[in-house]
């Protein structure tokens, strides 16, 4: 049977239909108007009745226990009677009776408030974990096997009542009486109180479950308040299309009197007035609702080592805000609120500082910033892959070996990389040394494998062998798009995201390099994320941002870029020098000198002039290049509006030949791209068009539209492309999906030809799951219509040892061919100075490492001196192995840290062996790099104590007088008040020189040494 009659294509098309139906089902489940939890369903049903009866607004906050039920039952019954009275009245008597009923409610409400306060106190006492203790209910809504710490309760429509209270008719609002009684399902594990009201202006409650964050679901976003940018790199969290904002960071940026305790994952504070308290702990949030109707659907609160992440909608209710999320720009915009006016920020800042000073008495957080420099002799990070391959192609069978070796280290103050691989497809070598410099005229240079600078009209950024240099003040050569490239082990998959939208997928080949070209780059902050997936189930991610500013260089500043290279694809050579000069603050001019090889031995000299203009929110670039025979002219324009970003460029070539317009075939080209988001969703939409005119060939036009977004934990993109050249039209559709589905991580892309004929071009589905702590299974189904063996299935199982991994791969093709591979992999990190050798199955090649050296800083100079003792048992959060502690030598090695941005490692202060020990800083901020283990000294100070007595000149006690210690060298300040007996005591004071201020007058200078106890004796209060 011929291949085109094979049943495989029909089976694959049937699979596509089933897959699409499955995702439609998931979508309908997600957007269904019926809430997914039983509590939400009950609230929705109750609210449907509420729409027709706006007279009903009784608040139900019933949290009772057996110890106090007899004292409060009377108040409960009073509310029930009042409620029944209101519900039974007709419209004619409603207004008269309402006043009397509300008086009854007010009297009983005071009793209930006292009871609620006591009940919450008891619940916090008996539940010490992060989420509230679950209560299991039987089918009758009663407790099954209640323990002593669980109060006997009965759940009725989301409320909680004493069992004895059910001897009388349960307290139900009108909407609940109209529904049949039913027990809660999975949501019965959450304590909650529902209030149904069309208006709200009082304290409400939000029950939640706390969950740790996942790195791949973070989004790096911009935060604006009105038109003012508060943060360009705010880490928000997104799951299931819902955005969660970091509440502590938000409080700091908006100067809100709210404080997070990261140890207990609790939150406290207030908003507008101290009476409107905010308290979050143990699975329950209470807050004064400041927006819309009462209540917010129960949900989740996510946490990491630094913050709590709350639902954006919940934050709107808490603070009366309107927050808009622009998915295409990854931007949160808060509409200016009368309660947080910009005009009063300075006045509010003073109040906030007073609040912050009070919180600092309980916990201060100082950051130690560590500069990571390239070492003369670094620490070698390496990775080794060794394998045996056996395969059958037709009648031929063969077995061969293959391998790959990578290494990275600092060398002579530079970072060096070398990779070498061999297989049946050939041998590859890739290597370079590079250096980034600060506060120097030369900013960066790289020798070896390089990517050239982009030179519009002449050459796009190309990979090859050579040298590149960037110097002077920063500027943008080409703002149409950028290139993102790097190194990773062969057979890894790399996904590229821009502003949380999936835009491209690559599988790394034998050369161990990934390279994304024509990556979108728009005005403002562009957030990029690379997600890496290994063949043995490994995964990691890297996030970074690139800002395209509307401004250009300061007047008179100069920037330079230069390079020389041999291009990989055809071994042609190019030398170039480009300089940019700022004529004014919004105009720059540039000159490029390029010597380019068009063919072997055929060189041409190409001078190029350029000019950048800034006008409002737009960037305009003009380029003119000349050769001996002709010229090229180009213009690029980029802009931004409230709803979309756009980029347009046009190039014209008149008898002009270069790498970008080879063989003078291209006459002109135009490009247009638009990027926007669908409001109130996580979807982004990108539209682009490309037109080319040729001398001999037919003109071509290409138009594409890409829709990208998230569905639960799946990221997806759909790109439809139409191409026309002469009489031929081609339409195809590419769908890509990546993310977690149940216990599997799914990655798939699908190419469908629509015109000229409908057909499946290719489809790849890759899914992997963890079978156990040591085993990982991965399966990949592939259909490639252009290949001789169109269908294949690859099964891979990996065993992860402590220091290496072993992977077996079996791939079968539709015509009977097969491929088998057995591969062993291991990574190592070697520190020559100490002889330290680490081995791991996870790669050290693209991650950083630090060694924290904790010591007792006896002289408080911040340096490790001879005789100062190490401190063992300290642990730090902010990395993957938070349970590890400093050893007997005071050292803790932390590996596999991300290198694209600064890492924050926070001391867990509960691990300090002595309450009188205080770190000089409790947070370490370091940006490590692969190939060097950064050594971080971490001084711990033995604090001092000081006491004295204060009396007036007449001999009476100066009770309540404030006493302050203000540091001469830091911002540290301590304050106490004189006790009833005239004594004042300072504890846990960092060593140093201080001003002693009594009342509001300077008294003396005090020098405190580590571990010192200083008695000032009796002080007479001057002026008395």
């Amino acid at each position: 049977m011929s291949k085109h009659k094979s049943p495989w294509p029909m089976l694959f098309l049937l699979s596509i239909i089933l897959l699409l139906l499955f995702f439609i089902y998931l979508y309908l489940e997600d957007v269904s108007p019926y809430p997914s939890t039983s509590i939400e369903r009950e609230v929705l049903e109750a609210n449907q009745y509420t729409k027709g009866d706006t007279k009903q607004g009784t608040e139900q906050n019933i949290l009772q226990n057996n110890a106090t039920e007899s004292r409060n039952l009377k108040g409960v019954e009073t509310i029930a009677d009042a409620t029944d009275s209101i519900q039974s009245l007709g419209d004619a008597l409603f207004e008269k009776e309402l006043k009397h009923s509300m008086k009854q409610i007010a009297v009983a409400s005071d009793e209930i408030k006292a009871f609620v306060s006591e009940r919450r106190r008891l619940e916090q006492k008996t539940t010490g974990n992060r989420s509230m203790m679950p209560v299991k209910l039987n089918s009758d809504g009663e407790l099954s096997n209640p323990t002593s710490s669980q109060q006997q309760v009965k759940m009725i429509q989301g409320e909680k009542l004493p069992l004895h209270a059910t001897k009388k008719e349960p307290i139900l609002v009108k909407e609940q009486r109209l529904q049949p009684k039913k027990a809660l399902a999975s949501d019965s594990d959450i304590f909650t109180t529902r209030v149904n009201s069309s208006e709200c202006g009082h304290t409400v409650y939000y029950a939640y479950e706390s969950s740790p964050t996942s790195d791949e679901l973070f989004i790096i976003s911009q935060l604006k308040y009105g038109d003012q940018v508060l943060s360009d790199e705010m880490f928000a969290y997104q799951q299931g299309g819902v955005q969660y904002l970091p509440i502590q960071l938000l409080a700091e940026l908006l100067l809100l009197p709210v404080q997070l305790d990261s140890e207990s994952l609790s939150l406290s504070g207030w908003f507008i007035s101290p009476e409107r308290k905010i308290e979050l702990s143990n699975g329950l949030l209470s807050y004064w609702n400041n927006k819309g109707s009462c209540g917010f659907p129960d949900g989740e609160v996510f946490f990491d080592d630094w913050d709590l992440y709350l639902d954006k909608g919940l934050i709107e209710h808490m603070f009366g805000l309107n927050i808009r999320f622009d998915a295409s720009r990854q931007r949160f915009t808060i509409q200016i609120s009368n309660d947080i006016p910009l005009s009063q920020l300075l006045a509010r800042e003073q109040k906030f500082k007073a609040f912050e000073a009070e919180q600092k008495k309980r916990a201060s957080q100082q950051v130690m910033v560590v500069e990571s420099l390239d070492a003369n002799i670094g620490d070698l990070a390496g990775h080794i892959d060794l394998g045996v391959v056996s395969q059958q192609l037709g009648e031929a069978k063969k077995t061969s070996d293959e391998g790959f070796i990578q290494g990275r280290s600092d060398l002579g103050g530079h970072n060096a990389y070398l990779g070498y691989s061999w297989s049946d497809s050939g041998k590859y070598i890739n290597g370079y040394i590079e250096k980034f410099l600060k506060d120097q005229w030369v900013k960066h240079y790289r020798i070896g494998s390089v990517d050239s600078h982009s030179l519009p009209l002449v050459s796009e950024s190309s990979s090859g062998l050579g040298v590149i240099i960037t110097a002077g003040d920063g500027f943008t050569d080409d703002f149409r798009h950028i290139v993102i490239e790097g190194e990773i082990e062969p057979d890894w998959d790399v996904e590229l995201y821009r502003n949380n939208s999936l835009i491209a997928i690559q599988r790394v080949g034998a050369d161990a390099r990934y390279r994304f070209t024509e990556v979108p780059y728009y005005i403002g902050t562009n957030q990029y994320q690379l997600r890496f997936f290994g063949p043995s189930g490994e995964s990691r991610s890297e996030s970074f941002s690139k800002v395209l500013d509307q401004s250009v260089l300061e007047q008179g500043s100069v920037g330079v870029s230069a390079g020389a290279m041999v291009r990989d694809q055809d071994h042609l050579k190019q030398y170039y020098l480009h300089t940019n000069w700022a004529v004014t603050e919004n105009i720059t001019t540039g000159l490029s000198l390029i010597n380019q090889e068009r063919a072997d031995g055929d060189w041409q000299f190409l001078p190029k002039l350029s000019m950048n203009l800034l006008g409002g929110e737009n960037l305009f670039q003009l380029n003119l290049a000349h050769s001996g025979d002709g010229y090229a002219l180009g213009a690029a324009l980029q802009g931004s509006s409230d709803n979309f970003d756009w980029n347009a460029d046009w190039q014209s070539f008149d008898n002009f030949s270069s790498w970008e317009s080879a063989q003078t075939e291209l006459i002109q080209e135009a490009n247009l791209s638009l990027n926007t988001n669908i409001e109130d969703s996580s979807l982004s939409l990108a539209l682009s068009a490309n037109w080319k005119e040729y001398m001999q060939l037919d003109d071509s036009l290409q138009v594409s539209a890409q829709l990208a977004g998230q569905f639960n934990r799946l990221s997806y993109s759909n790109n439809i492309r139409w191409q026309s050249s002469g009489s031929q039209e081609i339409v195809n559709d590419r769908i890509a999906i990546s993310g977690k589905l149940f216990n599997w991580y799914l990655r798939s892309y699908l190419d469908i030809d629509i015109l000229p004929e409908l057909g499946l071009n290719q489809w790849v589905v890759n899914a992997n799951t963890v079978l156990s702590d040591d085993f990982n299974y991965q399966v990949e189904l592939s259909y490639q219509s252009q290949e001789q063996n169109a269908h294949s299935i690859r099964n891979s199982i990996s065993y992860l040892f402590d220091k290496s991994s072993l992977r077996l791969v079996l791939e079968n093709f539709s015509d009977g061919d097969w491929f088998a591979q057995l591969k062993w992999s291991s990574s190592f990190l070697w520190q020559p100075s100490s002889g330290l050798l680490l081995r791991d199955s996870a790669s050290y090649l693209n991650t950083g490492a630090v060694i924290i050296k904790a010591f007792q800083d006896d002289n408080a100079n911040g340096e490790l001196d001879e005789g100062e003792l190490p401190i063992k048992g300290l642990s730090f959060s902010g990395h993957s192995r938070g349970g590890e502690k400093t050893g007997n030598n005071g050292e803790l090695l932390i590996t596999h840290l991300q290198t694209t941005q600064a890492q924050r490692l926070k001391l867990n202060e509960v691990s300090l062996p002595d309450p009188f020990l205080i770190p000089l800083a409790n947070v370490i901020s370091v940006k490590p790099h692969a190939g060097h283990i950064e050594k971080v000294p971490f001084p711990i100070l033995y604090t001092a104590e000081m006491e004295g007595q204060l009396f007036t000149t007449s001999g009476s006690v100066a009770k309540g007088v404030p006493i302050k210690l203000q540091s001469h060298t830091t911002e540290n300040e301590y304050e106490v008040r004189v006790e009833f007996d005239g004594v004042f005591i300072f504890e846990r004071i960092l060593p140093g020189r201080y001003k002693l201020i009594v009342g509001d007058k300077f008294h003396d200078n005090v020098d405190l040494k580590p571990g010192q106890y200083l008695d000032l004796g009796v002080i007479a209060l001057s002026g008395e």
Side-chain angles (χ1 to χ4, degrees):
M1 182 179 292
S2 61
K3 289 186 179 297
H4 70 275
K5 295 182 180 180
S6 170
W8 281 91
M10 293 302 299
L11 291 175
F12 267 74
L13 287 173
L14 180 61
S15 301
I16 294 171
I17 296 172
L18 292 175
L19 184 64
L20 291 175
L21 289 174
F22 174 68
F23 279 108
I24 291 173
Y25 166 76
L26 290 179
Y27 174 77
L28 292 176
E29 284 289 302
D30 187 60
V31 302
S32 171
Y34 301 101
S36 58
T37 66
S38 58
I39 291 178
E40 292 172 358
R41 287 193 295 271
E42 293 163 9
V43 172
L44 179 62
E45 292 167 0
N47 286 339
Q48 289 174 346
Y49 290 101
T50 306
K51 292 178 181 178
D53 189 0
T54 58
K55 302 169 186 177
Q56 179 65 45
T58 305
E59 177 180 359
Q60 302 287 331
N61 283 330
I62 306 169
L63 296 170
Q64 306 196 27
N65 63 40
N66 292 334
T68 57
E69 62 176 314
S70 60
R71 176 169 59 86
N72 298 282
L73 187 56
K74 179 180 178 181
V76 174
E77 293 172 348
T78 304
I79 290 183
D81 293 339
T83 303
D84 290 340
S85 176
I86 293 174
Q87 293 174 345
S88 63
L89 292 176
D91 290 340
L93 298 176
F94 174 79
E95 186 172 353
K96 177 181 177 181
E97 294 294 333
L98 177 61
K99 296 180 180 180
H100 174 68
S101 299
M102 292 308 294
K103 289 180 179 179
Q104 291 180 281
I105 292 174
V107 172
S109 179
D110 292 338
E111 295 181 15
I112 293 299
K113 287 180 179 178
F115 163 67
V116 168
S117 177
E118 176 67 9
R119 173 60 179 157
R120 292 184 60 205
R121 186 188 68 80
L122 291 174
E123 283 185 343
Q124 292 177 356
K125 182 178 180 180
T126 56
T127 51
N129 53 353
R130 288 177 177 173
S131 59
M132 297 195 68
M133 184 177 297
V135 175
K136 301 298 182 182
L137 304 178
N138 57 28
S139 59
D140 295 326
E142 298 178 350
L143 280 172
S144 56
N145 301 323
T147 65
S148 59
S149 62
Q150 295 172 331
Q151 305 299 321
Q152 295 187 14
V153 297
K154 188 167 185 177
M155 299 293 292
I156 301 177
Q157 298 296 340
E159 298 179 333
K160 189 169 53 164
L161 300 173
L163 287 178
H164 298 295
T166 60
K167 293 178 181 178
K168 294 194 174 184
E169 184 179 358
I171 300 172
L172 299 175
V173 296
K174 177 179 179 181
E175 294 76 18
Q176 294 169 331
R177 292 177 185 272
L178 297 174
Q179 303 175 63
K181 173 183 171 182
K182 57 184 178 181
L184 299 180
S186 59
D187 300 288
S188 61
D189 290 349
I190 304 174
F191 290 160
T192 183
T193 300
R194 283 298 174 195
V195 180
N196 296 309
S197 175
S198 59
E199 296 180 357
C200 194
H202 49 72
T203 299
V204 295
Y205 296 91
Y206 172 81
Y208 66 88
E209 290 183 342
S210 56
S211 304
T213 57
S214 299
D215 288 344
E216 69 271 12
L217 297 181
F218 274 107
I219 56 177
I220 305 176
S221 56
Q222 184 185 68
L223 177 65
K224 295 182 69 177
Y225 187 70
D227 293 329
Q228 181 174 344
V229 177
L230 300 182
S231 174
D232 277 323
E233 291 191 346
M234 181 183 74
F235 278 77
Y237 195 71
Q238 180 166 281
Q239 178 170 298
V242 178
Q243 295 80 40
Y244 299 81
L245 303 181
I247 184 63
Q248 181 61 53
L249 177 61
L250 201 64
E252 293 173 0
L253 295 174
L254 295 177
L255 303 180
L256 302 173
V258 176
Q259 181 67 34
L260 169 70
D261 184 346
S262 59
E263 298 294 336
S264 62
L265 294 181
S266 61
L267 191 74
S268 62
W270 49 270
F271 182 61
I272 298 180
S273 66
E275 292 76 21
R276 299 186 176 189
K277 293 183 178 180
I278 297 172
E279 294 184 2
L280 179 149
S281 66
N282 297 325
L284 189 66
L285 166 66
S286 64
Y287 63 95
W288 186 282
N289 193 90
N290 290 288
K291 180 181 180 181
S293 60
C294 280
F296 192 81
D298 294 340
E300 286 187 283
V301 170
F302 295 93
F303 65 89
D304 60 12
D305 294 322
W306 308 104
D307 218 323
L308 291 177
Y309 299 85
L310 272 59
D311 190 315
K312 175 174 71 71
L314 177 62
I315 292 176
E316 289 180 318
H317 277 249
M318 292 171 63
F319 302 106
L321 299 173
N322 290 313
I323 306 175
R324 179 177 178 268
F325 177 59
D326 186 338
S328 64
R329 297 184 176 98
Q330 295 293 276
R331 177 191 298 160
F332 292 92
T333 302
I334 303 174
Q335 182 178 332
I336 294 178
S337 167
N338 292 332
D339 296 320
I340 314 176
L342 285 174
S343 60
Q344 298 180 19
L345 278 180
L346 292 178
R348 294 185 64 254
E349 187 175 7
Q350 299 301 319
K351 297 180 181 179
F352 181 76
K353 285 183 177 180
F355 171 81
E356 193 177 44
E358 181 180 347
Q359 298 299 331
K360 282 185 176 181
K361 293 179 182 178
R362 293 189 294 168
S364 61
Q365 189 176 92
Q366 298 184 6
V367 179
M368 174 194 300
V369 179
V370 179
E371 293 289 339
S372 182
L373 302 176
D374 296 323
N376 288 323
I377 300 178
D379 309 302
L380 180 61
H383 183 83
I384 301 174
D385 278 353
L386 299 175
V388 178
V389 173
S390 182
Q391 57 184 326
Q392 175 177 306
L393 297 174
E395 299 298 325
K397 296 182 181 179
K398 65 177 181 177
T399 301
S400 60
D401 64 285
E402 63 181 16
F404 181 72
I405 300 175
Q406 285 177 304
R408 191 186 296 273
S409 179
D410 286 354
L411 183 63
H414 297 72
N415 190 254
Y417 166 82
L418 181 65
Y420 174 70
S421 66
W422 68 94
S423 65
D424 284 343
S425 60
K427 298 179 180 180
Y428 299 90
I429 187 168
N430 177 31
Y432 59 83
I433 61 171
E434 69 176 341
K435 189 174 183 65
F436 291 90
L437 300 99
K438 293 183 178 180
D439 303 322
Q440 302 288 332
W441 186 74
V442 176
K443 305 298 183 184
H444 170 249
Y445 58 86
R446 179 165 166 171
I447 303 172
S449 298
V450 299
D451 275 301
S452 65
H453 296 88
S454 180
L455 301 170
L457 300 179
V458 177
S459 68
E460 299 281 358
S461 176
S462 304
S463 59
L465 186 65
V467 57
I468 58 171
I469 302 172
T470 303
D473 292 312
F475 64 95
T476 302
D477 292 323
D478 185 359
F479 53 71
R480 297 174 299 171
H481 41 251
I482 61 172
V483 174
I484 296 176
E485 56 89 27
E487 303 83 29
I488 194 70
E489 294 89 328
D491 296 327
W492 279 57
D493 290 338
V494 185
E495 297 176 354
L496 175 62
Y497 293 77
R498 178 190 173 271
N499 290 353
N500 211 39
S501 295
L502 176 63
I503 59 175
I505 302 174
Q506 287 186 9
R507 174 157 293 178
V508 178
D511 60 351
R513 298 190 67 191
Y514 61 87
R515 191 170 189 270
F516 297 96
T517 60
E518 298 187 5
V519 177
Y521 186 44
Y522 291 100
I523 285 178
T525 302
N526 297 262
Q527 305 290 354
Y528 299 101
Q529 185 182 58
L530 292 166
R531 298 182 186 177
F532 304 91
F533 301 94
S536 297
E538 310 97 328
S539 65
R540 66 181 183 87
S541 62
E542 292 181 359
S543 299
F544 58 96
S545 61
K546 291 182 71 67
V547 178
L548 179 57
D549 197 352
Q550 298 98 321
S551 62
V552 289
L553 304 178
E554 293 184 5
Q555 183 174 356
S557 57
V558 176
V560 175
S561 61
M565 66 176 298
V566 178
R567 193 162 63 169
D568 282 340
Q569 64 189 69
D570 49 21
H571 303 293
L572 296 179
K573 303 178 183 64
Q574 176 180 263
Y575 307 95
Y576 63 89
L577 172 67
H578 176 78
T579 181
N580 226 36
W581 174 54
V583 180
T584 68
E585 291 184 351
N586 58 357
I587 300 177
T588 64
T589 59
L591 172 65
S592 302
L593 304 176
I594 304 108
N595 199 22
Q596 195 176 82
E597 191 177 27
R598 292 185 296 184
D600 188 17
D602 182 12
W603 290 85
Q604 64 175 348
F605 178 68
L606 301 171
K608 184 173 80 75
L609 294 173
S610 62
M611 181 171 62
N612 291 328
L613 299 175
L614 167 66
E617 296 294 316
N618 301 314
L619 279 171
F620 176 70
Q621 186 178 75
L622 185 65
N623 292 284
L624 174 64
H626 188 269
S627 65
D629 300 322
Y631 69 91
L633 179 65
L637 183 63
Q638 183 163 157
S640 176
S641 69
D642 292 337
N643 298 319
F644 57 86
D645 300 314
W646 54 277
N647 192 339
D649 73 273
W650 167 79
Q651 298 178 99
S652 176
F653 303 93
D654 185 0
N655 199 29
F656 181 87
S657 177
S658 67
W659 284 2
E660 191 159 330
S661 57
Q663 302 175 356
T664 68
E665 281 292 328
L666 185 62
I667 298 177
Q668 58 182 332
E669 176 182 4
N671 294 279
L672 175 65
S673 62
L674 301 173
N675 195 53
T676 186
N677 75 295
I678 299 176
E679 194 166 351
D680 297 326
S681 75
S682 61
L683 298 174
S684 64
L685 178 64
L687 304 174
S688 63
N690 172 266
W691 171 74
K692 291 181 180 180
E693 180 185 6
Y694 295 95
M695 293 181 63
Q696 304 294 331
L697 304 176
D698 292 328
D699 295 353
S700 69
L701 177 63
Q702 176 178 292
V703 179
S704 65
Q706 176 173 289
L707 183 68
Q710 280 194 335
F711 174 80
N712 289 333
R713 300 193 67 174
L714 290 175
S715 299
Y716 57 87
S717 68
N718 188 0
N719 190 313
I720 299 178
R721 180 174 298 178
W722 171 77
Q723 301 176 73
S724 175
S725 179
S727 61
Q728 184 180 17
E729 290 189 2
I730 299 174
V731 178
N732 53 47
D733 188 13
R734 182 180 178 92
I735 302 171
I737 299 173
S738 177
K740 197 75 176 290
L741 188 64
F742 306 114
N743 293 324
W744 293 79
Y745 204 102
L746 175 69
R747 290 173 288 119
S748 175
Y749 62 88
L750 173 69
D751 283 349
I752 303 174
D753 292 332
I754 300 176
L755 289 178
E757 293 183 359
L758 181 65
L760 180 62
N761 186 25
Q762 62 176 338
W763 188 20
V764 178
V765 178
N766 182 289
N768 82 80
T769 187
V770 176
L771 301 178
S772 68
D773 291 341
D774 300 321
F775 279 98
N776 180 275
Y777 171 69
Q778 187 172 125
V779 60
E780 184 172 289
L781 302 172
S782 176
Y783 171 72
Q784 307 284 342
S785 63
Q786 306 301 321
E787 299 292 333
Q788 183 176 358
N789 294 325
H791 309 86
S792 67
I793 179 171
R794 171 181 288 203
N795 289 279
S796 172
I797 189 166
S798 303
Y799 183 81
L800 303 179
F801 300 94
D802 290 338
K803 300 179 180 179
S804 61
S805 64
L806 189 65
R807 182 172 78 254
L808 176 63
V809 179
L810 296 175
E811 186 171 12
N812 298 93
F813 298 90
S814 53
D815 64 350
D817 290 348
W818 53 267
F819 170 90
Q821 179 191 63
L822 182 65
K823 180 167 283 190
W824 172 85
S825 301
S826 182
S827 287
F828 64 88
L829 181 62
W830 176 47
Q831 187 178 47
S833 59
S834 65
L836 173 68
L837 177 63
L838 301 175
R839 290 177 54 205
D840 202 322
S841 56
S843 177
Y844 294 105
L845 196 72
N846 293 297
T847 59
V850 299
I851 290 181
I852 298 175
K853 175 72 174 181
F855 63 95
Q856 185 174 308
D857 191 8
D858 292 332
N859 57 8
N861 66 352
E863 299 178 359
L864 177 58
D865 299 314
E866 185 176 353
E868 293 182 331
L869 299 176
I871 298 180
K872 68 175 183 178
L874 301 186
S875 63
F876 293 78
S877 59
H879 61 102
S880 59
R881 299 177 181 177
E884 296 183 353
K885 300 180 179 181
T886 55
N888 292 330
N889 60 357
E891 293 185 353
L892 172 62
L893 175 62
I894 300 176
T895 60
H896 299 103
L897 294 173
Q898 193 177 127
T899 59
T900 54
Q901 57 191 11
Q903 303 297 295
R904 290 165 62 91
L905 306 171
K906 181 181 178 183
L907 172 68
N908 297 320
E909 295 197 26
V910 294
S911 65
L912 287 168
D914 190 318
F916 289 97
L917 291 175
I918 291 183
L920 188 61
N922 55 7
V923 176
I924 300 170
S925 177
V926 58
K927 186 177 180 181
H929 64 272
H932 177 56
I933 302 176
E934 193 70 40
K935 297 178 180 178
V936 181
F938 193 74
I940 303 291
L941 304 179
Y942 221 118
T943 57
E945 290 183 81
M946 187 182 74
E947 74 169 52
Q949 301 176 61
L950 184 66
F951 293 87
T952 66
T953 53
S954 62
S956 60
V957 173
K959 179 183 176 182
V961 174
I963 311 292
K964 291 183 181 180
L965 283 177
Q966 292 181 343
S967 173
H968 279 276
T969 57
T970 69
E971 295 182 357
N972 292 334
E973 182 176 299
Y974 305 88
E975 180 178 351
V976 298
R977 288 186 179 270
V978 178
E979 300 293 338
F980 69 95
D981 56 357
V983 175
F984 61 89
I985 301 175
F986 287 94
E987 297 178 327
R988 303 189 75 202
I989 306 300
L990 288 175
R993 185 172 178 82
Y994 291 88
K995 298 177 184 177
L996 177 63
I997 299 175
V998 178
D1000 57 357
K1001 297 181 179 180
F1002 171 77
H1003 177 74
D1004 200 357
N1005 288 313
V1006 178
D1007 291 299
L1008 295 175
K1009 295 181 173 54
Q1012 181 183 10
Y1013 171 78
L1014 179 62
D1015 188 350
L1016 297 177
V1018 177
I1019 300 176
L1021 183 61
S1022 60
E1024 295 290 334

